Amino acid sequence: MTAFTHAIVRPPGANFAQGLTSVDLGKPDLGLALEQHARYCAALEQSGLVLTRLPADDRFADSTFVEDTAIVTDRCAILTRPGAASRAGEVAAIEPVLRSEFERTHAIVAPGTVDGGDICQVENHFFIGISERTNAEGARQLAAILAQEGFTSGTVDIREVNGILHLKSGISYLGDKRLVLIDALAGHAAFSDFTIVRIAASESYAANFLRINESVIVSAGFPQFASRVRAFGYPVVALDMSEFRKMDGALSCLSLRF
Ligand code: CIR
């Protein structure tokens, strides 16, 4: 399992509620979102990570979802080119930080688009989701960069999978060869080498979680999944993500971990 020592985070800004969303869960409460973000940062620190805390950036309503702007690995960082026009400027805003933290950076270029939320790392392999945000050309460029850095990769087309924005809305790696998947992805040939942990349809939001060093950080409110993770022997930390969920966000979206 990849060991993590650092994470980059950015709190939501004053216009957080004006960001993109495809769900109908009401407007987020900024005060509560900031509290939830603070608890998220504390949980990352308790898992052993040193945080780089960027200031809120009111130019971009979705900029708290820093995960989409880059793919960070133990060898390099890859700047993405987000698929939503309103988010394009977020990459330039984070680029200086990534250039200072990483010796080597690469970038996805037009006409490729990639959102970091579509990229799921499992040891030295990357699953690349083709979605409404990540196109085939972006996936091709990313696969070539990853190969150059000594990683393998493969694509998973999620355009026909209902209810998920990004690949990682439906899949996370628990470690020890266990992949947690929503039902719609469980039969995909790309995952046949893994022990599949299926997530109940009623708990599908919980499919996005964070395994950080020894801990597993899950979204609060999904007791079946939390008890399964505990039964595997991992310590579980549950965080309320209600305000980020209203904007299509989940645990992984709020940080870049390396
Ligand atoms: C968006 O639609 O781009 C944001 N409102 C949510 C992004 C969530 N990011 C992620 O899953 N990595």
Side-chain angles (χ1 to χ4, degrees):
M1 193 73 199
T2 314
F4 295 106
T5 54
H6 287 82
I8 300 171
V9 291
R10 189 193 289 287
N15 58 351
F16 177 53
Q18 272 95 61
L20 302 169
T21 189
S22 65
V23 291
D24 195 11
L25 297 172
K27 280 226 171 281
D29 175 308
L30 179 61
L32 184 52
L34 288 167
E35 276 175 36
Q36 292 177 350
H37 194 269
R39 276 186 233 114
Y40 177 87
C41 293
L44 295 186
E45 286 177 329
Q46 274 151 26
S47 307
L49 304 191
V50 174
L51 299 188
T52 299
R53 294 169 183 264
L54 305 179
D57 186 346
D58 291 340
R59 293 170 303 164
F60 304 107
D62 281 305
S63 56
T64 189
F65 301 115
V66 287
E67 175 180 65
D68 294 315
T69 61
I71 293 110
V72 290
T73 76
D74 58 357
R75 301 167 202 179
C76 65
I78 302 158
L79 300 163
T80 64
R81 197 169 165 270
S86 65
R87 302 198 59 190
E90 290 178 33
V91 176
I94 208 164
E95 183 174 348
V97 182
L98 292 169
R99 289 203 187 276
S100 71
E101 304 261 10
F102 290 86
E103 247 171 61
R104 246 188 346 271
T105 55
H106 305 266
I108 303 298
V109 296
T113 61
V114 171
D115 272 18
D118 278 316
I119 316 306
C120 178
Q121 182 175 7
V122 176
E123 311 294 353
N124 287 326
H125 185 78
F126 287 75
F127 294 110
I128 304 173
I130 308 280
S131 69
E132 297 302 326
R133 300 286 179 87
T134 296
N135 66 15
E137 170 59 17
R140 190 197 61 72
Q141 291 178 24
L142 178 58
I145 294 166
L146 290 170
Q148 189 186 324
E149 292 286 351
F151 294 110
T152 59
S153 67
T155 56
V156 180
D157 191 337
I158 63 158
R159 285 172 295 182
E160 302 293 313
V161 179
N162 282 332
I164 59 172
L165 174 66
H166 288 126
L167 177 64
K168 264 190 294 190
S169 319
I171 170 176
S172 302
Y173 185 52
L174 192 53
D176 307 306
K177 283 264 167 197
R178 294 187 181 109
L179 261 187
V180 175
L181 293 169
I182 57 167
D183 279 343
L185 291 173
H188 200 289
F191 309 125
S192 58
D193 287 347
F194 294 88
T195 305
I196 305 299
V197 179
R198 276 182 186 243
I199 206 137
S202 59
E203 295 204 336
S204 60
Y205 180 73
N208 182 288
F209 62 85
L210 294 173
R211 164 86 195 265
I212 299 190
N213 303 331
E214 294 317 307
S215 313
V216 179
I217 303 177
V218 301
S219 298
F222 303 97
Q224 290 180 44
F225 180 61
S227 60
R228 282 185 80 187
V229 175
R230 276 195 199 93
F232 286 129
Y234 306 106
V236 170
V237 177
L239 295 178
D240 189 354
M241 291 292 291
S242 64
E243 304 316 291
F244 297 101
R245 188 179 185 185
K246 290 173 183 171
M247 303 310 292
D248 265 332
L251 287 162
S252 72
C253 323
L254 293 180
S255 58
L256 284 164
R257 303 154 299 280
F258 53 102

PDB file of all heavy atoms in Angstrom, residues 19-22 62 65 67-68 84 87 115-118 133 165-166 168-169 208 244 247-250 252-254, ligand 1:
ATOM      1  N   GLY A  19     -21.249  26.360  -7.202  1.00  0.00           N
ATOM      2  CA  GLY A  19     -20.501  25.370  -7.974  1.00  0.00           C
ATOM      3  C   GLY A  19     -21.421  24.439  -8.751  1.00  0.00           C
ATOM      4  O   GLY A  19     -22.654  24.538  -8.685  1.00  0.00           O
ATOM      5  N   LEU A  20     -20.801  23.539  -9.475  1.00  0.00           N
ATOM      6  CA  LEU A  20     -21.551  22.579 -10.295  1.00  0.00           C
ATOM      7  C   LEU A  20     -22.140  21.493  -9.408  1.00  0.00           C
ATOM      8  O   LEU A  20     -21.515  21.051  -8.461  1.00  0.00           O
ATOM      9  CB  LEU A  20     -20.604  21.913 -11.297  1.00  0.00           C
ATOM     10  CG  LEU A  20     -19.866  22.844 -12.247  1.00  0.00           C
ATOM     11  CD1 LEU A  20     -18.780  22.062 -12.993  1.00  0.00           C
ATOM     12  CD2 LEU A  20     -20.855  23.467 -13.225  1.00  0.00           C
ATOM     13  N   THR A  21     -23.338  21.063  -9.758  1.00  0.00           N
ATOM     14  CA  THR A  21     -23.873  19.879  -9.087  1.00  0.00           C
ATOM     15  C   THR A  21     -24.895  19.206  -9.985  1.00  0.00           C
ATOM     16  O   THR A  21     -25.560  19.862 -10.785  1.00  0.00           O
ATOM     17  CB  THR A  21     -24.477  20.197  -7.700  1.00  0.00           C
ATOM     18  OG1 THR A  21     -24.759  18.956  -7.055  1.00  0.00           O
ATOM     19  CG2 THR A  21     -25.722  21.039  -7.767  1.00  0.00           C
ATOM     20  N   SER A  22     -25.002  17.881  -9.830  1.00  0.00           N
ATOM     21  CA  SER A  22     -25.997  17.139 -10.607  1.00  0.00           C
ATOM     22  C   SER A  22     -27.038  16.532  -9.678  1.00  0.00           C
ATOM     23  O   SER A  22     -27.945  15.856 -10.128  1.00  0.00           O
ATOM     24  CB  SER A  22     -25.300  16.022 -11.400  1.00  0.00           C
ATOM     25  OG  SER A  22     -24.757  15.074 -10.496  1.00  0.00           O
ATOM     26  N   ASP A  62     -15.814  25.686  -7.330  1.00  0.00           N
ATOM     27  CA  ASP A  62     -15.559  24.265  -7.047  1.00  0.00           C
ATOM     28  C   ASP A  62     -14.125  23.992  -6.582  1.00  0.00           C
ATOM     29  O   ASP A  62     -13.709  22.834  -6.519  1.00  0.00           O
ATOM     30  CB  ASP A  62     -15.844  23.435  -8.310  1.00  0.00           C
ATOM     31  CG  ASP A  62     -17.337  23.200  -8.510  1.00  0.00           C
ATOM     32  OD1 ASP A  62     -17.978  22.683  -7.577  1.00  0.00           O
ATOM     33  OD2 ASP A  62     -17.856  23.540  -9.589  1.00  0.00           O
ATOM     34  N   PHE A  65     -12.470  21.248  -4.337  1.00  0.00           N
ATOM     35  CA  PHE A  65     -12.305  19.864  -4.815  1.00  0.00           C
ATOM     36  C   PHE A  65     -10.963  19.739  -5.542  1.00  0.00           C
ATOM     37  O   PHE A  65     -10.889  19.471  -6.745  1.00  0.00           O
ATOM     38  CB  PHE A  65     -13.488  19.471  -5.715  1.00  0.00           C
ATOM     39  CG  PHE A  65     -14.818  19.573  -5.010  1.00  0.00           C
ATOM     40  CD1 PHE A  65     -15.783  20.486  -5.417  1.00  0.00           C
ATOM     41  CD2 PHE A  65     -15.097  18.762  -3.925  1.00  0.00           C
ATOM     42  CE1 PHE A  65     -16.995  20.589  -4.754  1.00  0.00           C
ATOM     43  CE2 PHE A  65     -16.314  18.864  -3.244  1.00  0.00           C
ATOM     44  CZ  PHE A  65     -17.270  19.781  -3.668  1.00  0.00           C
ATOM     45  N   GLU A  67      -8.717  17.632  -5.720  1.00  0.00           N
ATOM     46  CA  GLU A  67      -8.309  16.360  -6.328  1.00  0.00           C
ATOM     47  C   GLU A  67      -8.388  16.398  -7.854  1.00  0.00           C
ATOM     48  O   GLU A  67      -7.606  15.729  -8.545  1.00  0.00           O
ATOM     49  CB  GLU A  67      -9.199  15.228  -5.826  1.00  0.00           C
ATOM     50  CG  GLU A  67      -8.903  13.909  -6.520  1.00  0.00           C
ATOM     51  CD  GLU A  67      -9.768  12.782  -6.032  1.00  0.00           C
ATOM     52  OE1 GLU A  67     -11.006  12.812  -6.230  1.00  0.00           O
ATOM     53  OE2 GLU A  67      -9.211  11.859  -5.437  1.00  0.00           O
ATOM     54  N   ASP A  68      -9.344  17.172  -8.385  1.00  0.00           N
ATOM     55  CA  ASP A  68      -9.554  17.140  -9.833  1.00  0.00           C
ATOM     56  C   ASP A  68      -8.463  17.844 -10.635  1.00  0.00           C
ATOM     57  O   ASP A  68      -8.386  17.674 -11.846  1.00  0.00           O
ATOM     58  CB  ASP A  68     -10.931  17.728 -10.165  1.00  0.00           C
ATOM     59  CG  ASP A  68     -12.028  16.837  -9.622  1.00  0.00           C
ATOM     60  OD1 ASP A  68     -11.915  15.616  -9.795  1.00  0.00           O
ATOM     61  OD2 ASP A  68     -12.971  17.352  -8.999  1.00  0.00           O
ATOM     62  N   ALA A  84     -14.808  20.397 -17.066  1.00  0.00           N
ATOM     63  CA  ALA A  84     -15.849  21.429 -16.932  1.00  0.00           C
ATOM     64  C   ALA A  84     -15.204  22.791 -17.148  1.00  0.00           C
ATOM     65  O   ALA A  84     -14.236  23.149 -16.479  1.00  0.00           O
ATOM     66  CB  ALA A  84     -16.480  21.365 -15.542  1.00  0.00           C
ATOM     67  N   ARG A  87     -14.095  25.125 -14.396  1.00  0.00           N
ATOM     68  CA  ARG A  87     -13.030  24.685 -13.494  1.00  0.00           C
ATOM     69  C   ARG A  87     -11.638  24.768 -14.129  1.00  0.00           C
ATOM     70  O   ARG A  87     -10.631  24.474 -13.449  1.00  0.00           O
ATOM     71  CB  ARG A  87     -13.313  23.255 -13.012  1.00  0.00           C
ATOM     72  CG  ARG A  87     -14.674  23.127 -12.307  1.00  0.00           C
ATOM     73  CD  ARG A  87     -14.762  21.875 -11.470  1.00  0.00           C
ATOM     74  NE  ARG A  87     -13.716  21.859 -10.468  1.00  0.00           N
ATOM     75  CZ  ARG A  87     -13.429  20.802  -9.708  1.00  0.00           C
ATOM     76  NH1 ARG A  87     -14.132  19.689  -9.853  1.00  0.00           N
ATOM     77  NH2 ARG A  87     -12.455  20.852  -8.809  1.00  0.00           N
ATOM     78  N   ASP A 115     -10.196  14.785 -15.270  1.00  0.00           N
ATOM     79  CA  ASP A 115     -10.489  15.216 -13.893  1.00  0.00           C
ATOM     80  C   ASP A 115      -9.821  14.199 -12.967  1.00  0.00           C
ATOM     81  O   ASP A 115      -9.989  12.983 -13.160  1.00  0.00           O
ATOM     82  CB  ASP A 115     -11.998  15.150 -13.611  1.00  0.00           C
ATOM     83  CG  ASP A 115     -12.745  16.427 -13.977  1.00  0.00           C
ATOM     84  OD1 ASP A 115     -12.220  17.243 -14.749  1.00  0.00           O
ATOM     85  OD2 ASP A 115     -13.884  16.587 -13.481  1.00  0.00           O
ATOM     86  N   GLY A 116      -9.108  14.675 -11.970  1.00  0.00           N
ATOM     87  CA  GLY A 116      -8.436  13.749 -11.048  1.00  0.00           C
ATOM     88  C   GLY A 116      -9.378  12.742 -10.402  1.00  0.00           C
ATOM     89  O   GLY A 116      -8.979  11.627 -10.071  1.00  0.00           O
ATOM     90  N   GLY A 117     -10.640  13.124 -10.244  1.00  0.00           N
ATOM     91  CA  GLY A 117     -11.621  12.213  -9.637  1.00  0.00           C
ATOM     92  C   GLY A 117     -11.866  10.957 -10.456  1.00  0.00           C
ATOM     93  O   GLY A 117     -12.428   9.982  -9.952  1.00  0.00           O
ATOM     94  N   ASP A 118     -11.430  10.979 -11.715  1.00  0.00           N
ATOM     95  CA  ASP A 118     -11.588   9.793 -12.562  1.00  0.00           C
ATOM     96  C   ASP A 118     -10.401   8.840 -12.479  1.00  0.00           C
ATOM     97  O   ASP A 118     -10.390   7.828 -13.180  1.00  0.00           O
ATOM     98  CB  ASP A 118     -11.784  10.222 -14.029  1.00  0.00           C
ATOM     99  CG  ASP A 118     -13.229  10.613 -14.310  1.00  0.00           C
ATOM    100  OD1 ASP A 118     -14.127   9.895 -13.852  1.00  0.00           O
ATOM    101  OD2 ASP A 118     -13.441  11.636 -14.971  1.00  0.00           O
ATOM    102  N   ARG A 133     -16.263  14.050 -17.992  1.00  0.00           N
ATOM    103  CA  ARG A 133     -15.184  15.002 -17.723  1.00  0.00           C
ATOM    104  C   ARG A 133     -13.838  14.574 -18.312  1.00  0.00           C
ATOM    105  O   ARG A 133     -13.027  15.420 -18.673  1.00  0.00           O
ATOM    106  CB  ARG A 133     -15.016  15.167 -16.201  1.00  0.00           C
ATOM    107  CG  ARG A 133     -16.252  15.681 -15.468  1.00  0.00           C
ATOM    108  CD  ARG A 133     -16.485  17.151 -15.715  1.00  0.00           C
ATOM    109  NE  ARG A 133     -17.668  17.639 -15.039  1.00  0.00           N
ATOM    110  CZ  ARG A 133     -17.677  18.084 -13.784  1.00  0.00           C
ATOM    111  NH1 ARG A 133     -16.572  18.077 -13.075  1.00  0.00           N
ATOM    112  NH2 ARG A 133     -18.793  18.524 -13.253  1.00  0.00           N
ATOM    113  N   LEU A 165     -20.472  10.732 -11.048  1.00  0.00           N
ATOM    114  CA  LEU A 165     -19.844  11.801 -11.817  1.00  0.00           C
ATOM    115  C   LEU A 165     -18.469  11.359 -12.294  1.00  0.00           C
ATOM    116  O   LEU A 165     -18.090  11.565 -13.445  1.00  0.00           O
ATOM    117  CB  LEU A 165     -19.711  13.045 -10.916  1.00  0.00           C
ATOM    118  CG  LEU A 165     -18.948  14.241 -11.482  1.00  0.00           C
ATOM    119  CD1 LEU A 165     -19.682  14.844 -12.666  1.00  0.00           C
ATOM    120  CD2 LEU A 165     -18.727  15.298 -10.401  1.00  0.00           C
ATOM    121  N   HIS A 166     -17.726  10.768 -11.368  1.00  0.00           N
ATOM    122  CA  HIS A 166     -16.345  10.347 -11.635  1.00  0.00           C
ATOM    123  C   HIS A 166     -16.192   8.863 -11.337  1.00  0.00           C
ATOM    124  O   HIS A 166     -16.965   8.300 -10.547  1.00  0.00           O
ATOM    125  CB  HIS A 166     -15.389  11.109 -10.707  1.00  0.00           C
ATOM    126  CG  HIS A 166     -15.204  12.557 -11.043  1.00  0.00           C
ATOM    127  ND1 HIS A 166     -15.411  13.560 -10.126  1.00  0.00           N
ATOM    128  CD2 HIS A 166     -14.811  13.167 -12.184  1.00  0.00           C
ATOM    129  CE1 HIS A 166     -15.143  14.735 -10.694  1.00  0.00           C
ATOM    130  NE2 HIS A 166     -14.785  14.523 -11.946  1.00  0.00           N
ATOM    131  N   LYS A 168     -14.108   7.529  -9.363  1.00  0.00           N
ATOM    132  CA  LYS A 168     -13.935   7.309  -7.924  1.00  0.00           C
ATOM    133  C   LYS A 168     -15.194   7.576  -7.102  1.00  0.00           C
ATOM    134  O   LYS A 168     -15.190   7.361  -5.900  1.00  0.00           O
ATOM    135  CB  LYS A 168     -12.749   8.114  -7.389  1.00  0.00           C
ATOM    136  CG  LYS A 168     -11.499   7.227  -7.331  1.00  0.00           C
ATOM    137  CD  LYS A 168     -10.354   7.879  -6.603  1.00  0.00           C
ATOM    138  CE  LYS A 168      -9.860   9.083  -7.352  1.00  0.00           C
ATOM    139  NZ  LYS A 168      -8.616   9.650  -6.842  1.00  0.00           N
ATOM    140  N   SER A 169     -16.296   7.994  -7.763  1.00  0.00           N
ATOM    141  CA  SER A 169     -17.571   8.016  -7.038  1.00  0.00           C
ATOM    142  C   SER A 169     -18.049   6.581  -6.834  1.00  0.00           C
ATOM    143  O   SER A 169     -18.957   6.341  -6.036  1.00  0.00           O
ATOM    144  CB  SER A 169     -18.651   8.773  -7.810  1.00  0.00           C
ATOM    145  OG  SER A 169     -18.151   9.932  -8.410  1.00  0.00           O
ATOM    146  N   ASN A 208     -16.812   6.016  -2.082  1.00  0.00           N
ATOM    147  CA  ASN A 208     -15.654   6.916  -2.098  1.00  0.00           C
ATOM    148  C   ASN A 208     -15.182   7.095  -0.654  1.00  0.00           C
ATOM    149  O   ASN A 208     -15.868   7.696   0.172  1.00  0.00           O
ATOM    150  CB  ASN A 208     -16.037   8.265  -2.719  1.00  0.00           C
ATOM    151  CG  ASN A 208     -14.839   9.197  -2.796  1.00  0.00           C
ATOM    152  OD1 ASN A 208     -14.367   9.708  -1.782  1.00  0.00           O
ATOM    153  ND2 ASN A 208     -14.330   9.413  -3.992  1.00  0.00           N
ATOM    154  N   PHE A 244     -20.711  18.758   1.258  1.00  0.00           N
ATOM    155  CA  PHE A 244     -19.931  18.510   0.028  1.00  0.00           C
ATOM    156  C   PHE A 244     -20.707  17.586  -0.902  1.00  0.00           C
ATOM    157  O   PHE A 244     -20.650  17.732  -2.124  1.00  0.00           O
ATOM    158  CB  PHE A 244     -18.543  17.945   0.391  1.00  0.00           C
ATOM    159  CG  PHE A 244     -17.751  18.942   1.181  1.00  0.00           C
ATOM    160  CD1 PHE A 244     -17.639  18.842   2.565  1.00  0.00           C
ATOM    161  CD2 PHE A 244     -17.184  20.039   0.555  1.00  0.00           C
ATOM    162  CE1 PHE A 244     -16.953  19.799   3.302  1.00  0.00           C
ATOM    163  CE2 PHE A 244     -16.496  21.006   1.280  1.00  0.00           C
ATOM    164  CZ  PHE A 244     -16.383  20.884   2.658  1.00  0.00           C
ATOM    165  N   MET A 247     -22.852  19.111  -3.442  1.00  0.00           N
ATOM    166  CA  MET A 247     -22.157  19.640  -4.627  1.00  0.00           C
ATOM    167  C   MET A 247     -21.415  18.522  -5.365  1.00  0.00           C
ATOM    168  O   MET A 247     -20.435  18.767  -6.065  1.00  0.00           O
ATOM    169  CB  MET A 247     -21.162  20.735  -4.204  1.00  0.00           C
ATOM    170  CG  MET A 247     -21.787  21.902  -3.440  1.00  0.00           C
ATOM    171  SD  MET A 247     -23.246  22.622  -4.226  1.00  0.00           S
ATOM    172  CE  MET A 247     -22.508  23.366  -5.669  1.00  0.00           C
ATOM    173  N   ASP A 248     -21.902  17.285  -5.213  1.00  0.00           N
ATOM    174  CA  ASP A 248     -21.316  16.138  -5.930  1.00  0.00           C
ATOM    175  C   ASP A 248     -19.917  15.776  -5.442  1.00  0.00           C
ATOM    176  O   ASP A 248     -19.172  15.102  -6.166  1.00  0.00           O
ATOM    177  CB  ASP A 248     -21.216  16.403  -7.443  1.00  0.00           C
ATOM    178  CG  ASP A 248     -22.394  15.846  -8.209  1.00  0.00           C
ATOM    179  OD1 ASP A 248     -22.987  14.855  -7.742  1.00  0.00           O
ATOM    180  OD2 ASP A 248     -22.711  16.411  -9.275  1.00  0.00           O
ATOM    181  N   GLY A 249     -19.564  16.229  -4.270  1.00  0.00           N
ATOM    182  CA  GLY A 249     -18.213  15.947  -3.771  1.00  0.00           C
ATOM    183  C   GLY A 249     -18.237  14.846  -2.723  1.00  0.00           C
ATOM    184  O   GLY A 249     -19.253  14.595  -2.073  1.00  0.00           O
ATOM    185  N   ALA A 250     -17.096  14.195  -2.575  1.00  0.00           N
ATOM    186  CA  ALA A 250     -16.959  13.155  -1.552  1.00  0.00           C
ATOM    187  C   ALA A 250     -15.553  13.251  -0.959  1.00  0.00           C
ATOM    188  O   ALA A 250     -14.810  14.193  -1.248  1.00  0.00           O
ATOM    189  CB  ALA A 250     -17.228  11.787  -2.166  1.00  0.00           C
ATOM    190  N   SER A 252     -12.539  11.820  -1.255  1.00  0.00           N
ATOM    191  CA  SER A 252     -11.263  11.910  -1.985  1.00  0.00           C
ATOM    192  C   SER A 252     -11.107  13.269  -2.663  1.00  0.00           C
ATOM    193  O   SER A 252      -9.997  13.772  -2.822  1.00  0.00           O
ATOM    194  CB  SER A 252     -11.137  10.784  -3.010  1.00  0.00           C
ATOM    195  OG  SER A 252     -11.994  10.992  -4.108  1.00  0.00           O
ATOM    196  N   CYS A 253     -12.245  13.890  -3.060  1.00  0.00           N
ATOM    197  CA  CYS A 253     -12.194  15.129  -3.846  1.00  0.00           C
ATOM    198  C   CYS A 253     -11.514  16.276  -3.116  1.00  0.00           C
ATOM    199  O   CYS A 253     -11.019  17.200  -3.746  1.00  0.00           O
ATOM    200  CB  CYS A 253     -13.597  15.621  -4.189  1.00  0.00           C
ATOM    201  SG  CYS A 253     -14.757  14.336  -4.551  1.00  0.00           S
ATOM    202  N   LEU A 254     -11.524  16.217  -1.775  1.00  0.00           N
ATOM    203  CA  LEU A 254     -11.090  17.377  -0.985  1.00  0.00           C
ATOM    204  C   LEU A 254      -9.591  17.446  -0.726  1.00  0.00           C
ATOM    205  O   LEU A 254      -9.132  18.330  -0.022  1.00  0.00           O
ATOM    206  CB  LEU A 254     -11.832  17.390   0.367  1.00  0.00           C
ATOM    207  CG  LEU A 254     -13.335  17.638   0.310  1.00  0.00           C
ATOM    208  CD1 LEU A 254     -13.920  17.632   1.722  1.00  0.00           C
ATOM    209  CD2 LEU A 254     -13.650  18.959  -0.367  1.00  0.00           C
TER     210      LEU A 254
HETATM  211  C1  CIR B   1     -17.826  19.265  -9.908  1.00  0.00           C
HETATM  212  O1  CIR B   1     -18.926  19.008 -10.432  1.00  0.00           O
HETATM  213  O2  CIR B   1     -16.799  19.331 -10.563  1.00  0.00           O
HETATM  214  C2  CIR B   1     -17.793  19.507  -8.412  1.00  0.00           C
HETATM  215  N1  CIR B   1     -19.005  20.132  -7.984  1.00  0.00           N
HETATM  216  C3  CIR B   1     -17.590  18.214  -7.680  1.00  0.00           C
HETATM  217  C4  CIR B   1     -16.271  17.567  -7.958  1.00  0.00           C
HETATM  218  C5  CIR B   1     -16.057  16.323  -7.175  1.00  0.00           C
HETATM  219  N2  CIR B   1     -14.725  15.865  -7.342  1.00  0.00           N
HETATM  220  C6  CIR B   1     -14.331  14.607  -7.297  1.00  0.00           C
HETATM  221  O3  CIR B   1     -15.139  13.700  -7.240  1.00  0.00           O
HETATM  222  N3  CIR B   1     -13.038  14.366  -7.425  1.00  0.00           N
END
